[in-house]
Amino acid sequence: MRTWLLILLLPILTPGWDGHSRLGLLGSKVAFTATPVALDPAHPSRRRVGRLTYLGGVQLKSPDPVFGGFSSLTVEGKAERRHFTLLSDGGNIVRFDIDAAWRIGARRFAELPSGPSTGWEKRDRDSESMIVDPATGDLSIGFEYANAIWRYDHQLKVVRRHTALPAMHSWHENGGSEAMVRLPDGATIVFVETVLPKLRRTLQRSPGRIAIRFSSDPTVEPNSGFGFVYLPPKTMIRATRRCCPMGASWCSTADSRCRSTSRPS
Protein backbone atom coordinates (compact mmCIF):
# COMPACT_ATOMS: atom_id res chain seq x y z
CA MET A 1 0.00 0.00 0.00
CA ARG A 2 2.80 2.39 0.90
CA THR A 3 4.55 1.64 -2.40
CA TRP A 4 1.45 2.49 -4.43
CA LEU A 5 0.95 5.69 -2.44
CA LEU A 6 4.55 6.74 -3.13
CA ILE A 7 4.13 6.11 -6.87
CA LEU A 8 0.94 8.20 -6.93
CA LEU A 9 2.63 11.07 -5.10
CA LEU A 10 5.73 11.17 -7.34
CA PRO A 11 4.20 13.49 -10.01
CA ILE A 12 3.17 15.87 -7.22
CA LEU A 13 6.41 15.85 -5.25
CA THR A 14 8.79 16.02 -8.24
CA PRO A 15 9.75 19.67 -9.00
CA GLY A 16 9.12 21.01 -12.49
CA TRP A 17 11.79 22.07 -14.99
CA ASP A 18 13.07 25.53 -14.11
CA GLY A 19 15.74 25.95 -16.78
CA HIS A 20 15.65 27.38 -20.30
CA SER A 21 12.73 26.20 -22.42
CA ARG A 22 13.36 23.69 -25.20
CA LEU A 23 13.83 25.04 -28.71
CA GLY A 24 10.57 24.69 -30.63
CA LEU A 25 10.70 22.32 -33.61
CA LEU A 26 8.26 21.89 -36.47
CA GLY A 27 5.90 18.94 -36.12
CA SER A 28 5.80 15.78 -38.19
CA LYS A 29 2.66 16.90 -40.04
CA VAL A 30 3.73 19.10 -42.96
CA ALA A 31 0.84 21.48 -43.47
CA PHE A 32 0.92 25.02 -44.82
CA THR A 33 -0.69 27.04 -47.58
CA ALA A 34 0.67 29.63 -50.00
CA THR A 35 -1.67 32.41 -51.09
CA PRO A 36 -0.53 34.74 -53.91
CA VAL A 37 -0.31 38.40 -52.95
CA ALA A 38 -0.24 41.48 -55.16
CA LEU A 39 2.40 44.17 -54.92
CA ASP A 40 -0.31 46.82 -54.61
CA PRO A 41 -3.77 45.39 -53.80
CA ALA A 42 -5.38 48.67 -54.88
CA HIS A 43 -3.72 48.36 -58.29
CA PRO A 44 -3.20 44.61 -58.97
CA SER A 45 -1.61 45.24 -62.36
CA ARG A 46 1.26 47.22 -60.88
CA ARG A 47 4.61 45.47 -61.34
CA ARG A 48 7.26 48.17 -60.97
CA VAL A 49 8.88 49.78 -57.93
CA GLY A 50 11.60 52.11 -59.09
CA ARG A 51 14.05 49.95 -61.06
CA LEU A 52 12.64 46.71 -59.65
CA THR A 53 10.08 44.44 -61.33
CA TYR A 54 7.76 42.51 -59.03
CA LEU A 55 7.65 38.88 -60.18
CA GLY A 56 5.17 37.70 -57.57
CA GLY A 57 4.83 36.68 -53.96
CA VAL A 58 2.92 34.40 -51.61
CA GLN A 59 1.74 34.51 -48.01
CA LEU A 60 2.54 31.33 -46.08
CA LYS A 61 0.26 30.09 -43.30
CA SER A 62 0.43 26.96 -41.16
CA PRO A 63 -1.46 25.60 -38.15
CA ASP A 64 1.89 24.62 -36.65
CA PRO A 65 2.66 27.19 -33.88
CA VAL A 66 6.42 26.97 -34.56
CA PHE A 67 6.00 27.84 -38.25
CA GLY A 68 7.45 31.26 -39.10
CA GLY A 69 10.34 33.48 -38.03
CA PHE A 70 12.16 32.91 -41.31
CA SER A 71 15.43 34.80 -41.48
CA SER A 72 16.87 33.65 -44.83
CA LEU A 73 15.96 31.77 -48.00
CA THR A 74 17.40 30.42 -51.21
CA VAL A 75 15.63 30.08 -54.56
CA GLU A 76 16.73 27.65 -57.26
CA GLY A 77 15.36 26.31 -60.52
CA LYS A 78 13.70 27.92 -63.51
CA ALA A 79 10.43 29.81 -63.92
CA GLU A 80 8.52 26.59 -64.64
CA ARG A 81 9.33 25.32 -61.14
CA ARG A 82 11.20 27.17 -58.43
CA HIS A 83 12.65 25.38 -55.40
CA PHE A 84 12.52 27.33 -52.14
CA THR A 85 14.44 26.70 -48.92
CA LEU A 86 13.42 28.80 -45.93
CA LEU A 87 15.44 28.82 -42.70
CA SER A 88 14.06 30.18 -39.45
CA ASP A 89 15.99 31.87 -36.65
CA GLY A 90 15.57 28.66 -34.65
CA GLY A 91 17.13 26.27 -37.17
CA ASN A 92 13.82 25.04 -38.63
CA ILE A 93 13.76 24.31 -42.36
CA VAL A 94 10.79 24.62 -44.72
CA ARG A 95 11.14 23.50 -48.33
CA PHE A 96 8.66 23.59 -51.18
CA ASP A 97 8.28 24.10 -54.92
CA ILE A 98 6.19 26.68 -56.77
CA ASP A 99 5.31 26.29 -60.45
CA ALA A 100 4.57 28.97 -63.03
CA ALA A 101 0.90 29.07 -61.94
CA TRP A 102 1.95 29.67 -58.31
CA ARG A 103 0.85 26.20 -57.23
CA ILE A 104 2.79 24.84 -54.29
CA GLY A 105 4.14 21.31 -53.98
CA ALA A 106 6.83 19.07 -52.46
CA ARG A 107 6.28 20.47 -48.96
CA ARG A 108 8.90 19.39 -46.43
CA PHE A 109 9.76 20.20 -42.80
CA ALA A 110 13.14 19.56 -41.18
CA GLU A 111 15.64 21.06 -38.76
CA LEU A 112 19.37 21.59 -38.88
CA PRO A 113 21.19 18.36 -37.97
CA SER A 114 23.78 20.15 -35.86
CA GLY A 115 25.13 23.56 -34.99
CA PRO A 116 26.71 25.59 -32.20
CA SER A 117 26.33 24.11 -28.70
CA THR A 118 23.75 21.44 -27.83
CA GLY A 119 20.73 22.72 -29.75
CA TRP A 120 18.52 22.74 -26.66
CA GLU A 121 18.00 26.51 -26.57
CA LYS A 122 16.93 28.83 -29.36
CA ARG A 123 20.21 30.73 -29.21
CA ASP A 124 22.04 27.49 -30.08
CA ARG A 125 20.35 27.56 -33.50
CA ASP A 126 20.08 31.33 -34.01
CA SER A 127 20.56 31.02 -37.77
CA GLU A 128 20.20 34.41 -39.44
CA SER A 129 21.88 34.22 -42.85
CA MET A 130 22.42 31.69 -45.61
CA ILE A 131 24.27 31.54 -48.93
CA VAL A 132 24.68 28.80 -51.52
CA ASP A 133 27.85 27.71 -53.30
CA PRO A 134 26.80 27.40 -56.97
CA ALA A 135 29.67 25.00 -57.71
CA THR A 136 28.73 22.37 -55.10
CA GLY A 137 25.26 23.35 -53.87
CA ASP A 138 26.57 23.46 -50.29
CA LEU A 139 24.90 25.96 -47.98
CA SER A 140 26.77 28.20 -45.54
CA ILE A 141 24.77 29.48 -42.56
CA GLY A 142 25.64 32.32 -40.21
CA PHE A 143 24.72 31.92 -36.53
CA GLU A 144 24.16 35.27 -34.89
CA TYR A 145 24.56 34.40 -31.20
CA ALA A 146 27.64 32.21 -31.68
CA ASN A 147 29.23 34.50 -34.31
CA ALA A 148 30.02 31.36 -36.28
CA ILE A 149 29.57 30.07 -39.83
CA TRP A 150 28.68 26.45 -40.55
CA ARG A 151 28.73 24.79 -43.96
CA TYR A 152 26.25 21.99 -44.79
CA ASP A 153 25.52 19.82 -47.80
CA HIS A 154 22.76 20.86 -50.20
CA GLN A 155 20.12 18.84 -48.35
CA LEU A 156 21.10 20.39 -44.99
CA LYS A 157 21.64 16.93 -43.54
CA VAL A 158 25.45 16.74 -43.29
CA VAL A 159 27.86 19.23 -41.71
CA ARG A 160 30.87 19.85 -43.95
CA ARG A 161 32.84 22.09 -41.58
CA HIS A 162 32.43 25.13 -39.37
CA THR A 163 34.39 27.92 -37.77
CA ALA A 164 34.01 30.58 -35.08
CA LEU A 165 35.68 33.44 -36.88
CA PRO A 166 38.38 35.25 -34.84
CA ALA A 167 37.47 38.57 -36.45
CA MET A 168 33.91 38.25 -35.14
CA HIS A 169 34.74 37.51 -31.50
CA SER A 170 34.17 41.13 -30.48
CA TRP A 171 30.77 41.31 -32.12
CA HIS A 172 27.70 41.42 -29.88
CA GLU A 173 26.40 37.96 -28.99
CA ASN A 174 22.98 38.81 -30.38
CA GLY A 175 24.04 41.06 -33.21
CA GLY A 176 26.51 39.03 -35.23
CA SER A 177 26.36 37.58 -38.75
CA GLU A 178 22.96 38.98 -39.66
CA ALA A 179 23.52 38.84 -43.41
CA MET A 180 25.92 37.19 -45.84
CA VAL A 181 26.58 37.71 -49.53
CA ARG A 182 28.54 35.51 -51.90
CA LEU A 183 30.20 37.47 -54.71
CA PRO A 184 30.70 36.14 -58.25
CA ASP A 185 34.45 35.68 -57.62
CA GLY A 186 33.77 33.39 -54.65
CA ALA A 187 34.41 36.01 -51.97
CA THR A 188 32.04 36.20 -48.98
CA ILE A 189 30.88 39.31 -47.15
CA VAL A 190 29.47 38.98 -43.62
CA PHE A 191 27.47 41.90 -42.22
CA VAL A 192 27.00 42.62 -38.53
CA GLU A 193 23.61 43.70 -37.17
CA THR A 194 24.10 45.78 -34.04
CA VAL A 195 27.76 46.85 -33.93
CA LEU A 196 28.11 50.31 -35.43
CA PRO A 197 31.46 52.03 -35.88
CA LYS A 198 32.23 55.05 -33.71
CA LEU A 199 33.51 58.35 -35.03
CA ARG A 200 36.94 58.81 -33.51
CA ARG A 201 36.65 62.49 -32.64
CA THR A 202 33.08 62.63 -31.31
CA LEU A 203 32.59 58.98 -30.23
CA GLN A 204 29.17 59.18 -31.89
CA ARG A 205 27.77 56.34 -33.89
CA SER A 206 28.33 56.69 -37.62
CA PRO A 207 25.61 55.64 -40.10
CA GLY A 208 27.63 52.72 -41.46
CA ARG A 209 27.57 49.00 -40.78
CA ILE A 210 30.61 46.89 -39.97
CA ALA A 211 31.31 43.99 -42.31
CA ILE A 212 34.10 41.57 -43.16
CA ARG A 213 35.06 40.52 -46.68
CA PHE A 214 36.63 37.07 -46.98
CA SER A 215 38.53 36.19 -50.14
CA SER A 216 36.86 32.76 -50.25
CA ASP A 217 34.85 30.41 -48.05
CA PRO A 218 35.26 31.61 -44.42
CA THR A 219 35.06 28.02 -43.14
CA VAL A 220 38.14 27.18 -45.22
CA GLU A 221 40.14 30.39 -44.78
CA PRO A 222 38.82 32.14 -41.66
CA ASN A 223 41.80 34.49 -41.53
CA SER A 224 41.56 35.69 -45.13
CA GLY A 225 39.22 38.59 -44.44
CA PHE A 226 39.49 42.31 -43.85
CA GLY A 227 37.02 44.59 -42.11
CA PHE A 228 35.30 47.61 -43.59
CA VAL A 229 32.32 49.87 -42.99
CA TYR A 230 29.36 49.70 -45.35
CA LEU A 231 27.89 53.19 -45.71
CA PRO A 232 24.33 54.04 -46.80
CA PRO A 233 23.70 55.61 -50.24
CA LYS A 234 24.83 59.18 -50.85
CA THR A 235 27.52 58.86 -48.20
CA MET A 236 31.18 59.42 -49.04
CA ILE A 237 34.26 58.62 -47.01
CA ARG A 238 37.88 59.40 -47.79
CA ALA A 239 40.31 56.89 -46.37
CA THR A 240 43.67 57.37 -48.08
CA ARG A 241 47.22 58.37 -47.23
CA ARG A 242 47.39 60.80 -50.12
CA CYS A 243 44.90 62.30 -52.53
CA CYS A 244 46.42 62.76 -55.97
CA PRO A 245 43.84 64.11 -58.42
CA MET A 246 44.76 65.84 -61.62
CA GLY A 247 46.91 68.93 -61.09
CA ALA A 248 49.46 67.24 -58.82
CA SER A 249 47.42 67.97 -55.71
CA TRP A 250 47.93 66.02 -52.51
CA CYS A 251 46.05 65.54 -49.26
CA SER A 252 47.35 64.89 -45.77
CA THR A 253 45.67 62.33 -43.52
CA ALA A 254 44.84 64.99 -40.94
CA ASP A 255 43.09 67.27 -43.44
CA SER A 256 39.86 66.45 -45.22
CA ARG A 257 40.58 68.88 -48.07
CA CYS A 258 42.76 68.31 -51.10
CA ARG A 259 45.29 71.11 -51.47
CA SER A 260 46.50 72.37 -54.81
CA THR A 261 50.10 72.63 -53.81
CA SER A 262 53.22 70.83 -54.85
CA ARG A 263 53.76 67.29 -53.59
CA PRO A 264 56.05 67.15 -50.53
CA SER A 265 59.38 65.45 -51.00
Side-chain angles (χ1 to χ4, degrees), residues 34 39 104 119 133 190 192 196 201 203 221 251 257 261 264:
L39 173 64
I104 192 171
D133 184 341
V190 182
V192 72
L196 299 176
R201 293 181 180 178
L203 296 181
E221 298 184 86
C251 187
R257 298 168 298 175
T261 58

Side-chain angles (χ1 to χ4, degrees), residues 112-115 138-139 141 143 150-153 156 158-160:
L112 292 176
S114 185
D138 287 356
L139 296 166
I141 295 174
F143 291 91
W150 286 53
R151 183 171 174 127
Y152 302 81
D153 71 326
L156 290 173
V158 178
V159 176
R160 301 292 195 199

Side-chain angles (χ1 to χ4, degrees), residues 15-255:
W17 171 251
D18 195 29
H20 294 286
S21 59
R22 175 72 167 91
L23 169 67
L25 301 177
L26 290 168
S28 57
K29 183 179 180 181
V30 181
F32 62 93
T33 60
T35 305
V37 294
L39 173 64
D40 184 353
H43 304 86
S45 61
R46 184 181 180 186
R47 291 289 185 271
R48 298 283 295 180
V49 178
R51 299 173 60 184
L52 302 178
T53 300
Y54 181 66
L55 301 178
V58 293
Q59 180 184 25
L60 303 177
K61 289 185 177 181
S62 173
D64 193 314
V66 180
F67 188 90
F70 303 114
S71 55
S72 58
L73 65 86
T74 63
V75 183
E76 301 171 88
K78 299 181 179 180
E80 294 78 14
R81 183 166 294 276
R82 302 285 190 183
H83 311 290
F84 290 78
T85 298
L86 278 62
L87 182 65
S88 79
D89 58 359
N92 285 301
I93 305 165
V94 174
R95 281 182 154 162
F96 58 90
D97 296 346
I98 292 183
D99 63 15
W102 293 95
R103 292 177 299 224
I104 192 171
R107 299 172 176 86
R108 289 158 287 172
F109 284 172
E111 63 270 350
L112 292 176
S114 185
S117 195
T118 63
W120 175 266
E121 301 177 54
K122 182 179 181 296
R123 65 184 184 180
D124 296 342
R125 297 292 181 270
D126 192 8
S127 46
E128 291 289 344
S129 52
M130 176 170 56
I131 56 175
V132 60
D133 184 341
T136 64
D138 287 356
L139 296 166
S140 294
I141 295 174
F143 291 91
E144 182 181 46
Y145 187 86
N147 284 331
I149 296 178
W150 286 53
R151 183 171 174 127
Y152 302 81
D153 71 326
H154 185 64
Q155 298 302 320
L156 290 173
K157 294 182 177 180
V158 178
V159 176
R160 301 292 195 199
R161 51 189 173 267
H162 59 88
T163 183
L165 304 173
M168 295 162 55
H169 286 172
S170 61
W171 290 6
H172 191 276
E173 63 185 12
N174 197 36
S177 49
E178 180 71 14
M180 284 197 298
V181 177
R182 180 183 171 86
L183 303 182
D185 63 357
T188 301
I189 299 180
V190 182
F191 293 89
V192 72
E193 178 186 16
T194 59
V195 177
L196 299 176
K198 290 183 178 181
L199 298 177
R200 181 172 296 179
R201 293 181 180 178
T202 63
L203 296 181
Q204 296 177 350
R205 297 293 187 181
S206 78
R209 291 282 177 180
I210 293 177
I212 300 177
R213 185 188 190 277
F214 297 90
S215 60
S216 62
D217 180 358
T219 65
V220 176
E221 298 184 86
N223 296 316
S224 67
F226 65 87
F228 68 96
V229 177
Y230 175 79
L231 296 173
K234 299 181 179 180
T235 303
M236 182 181 69
I237 185 171
R238 180 188 62 80
T240 180
R241 293 179 61 189
R242 288 183 177 180
C243 176
C244 300
M246 295 180 64
S249 297
W250 65 276
C251 187
S252 67
T253 56
D255 196 338

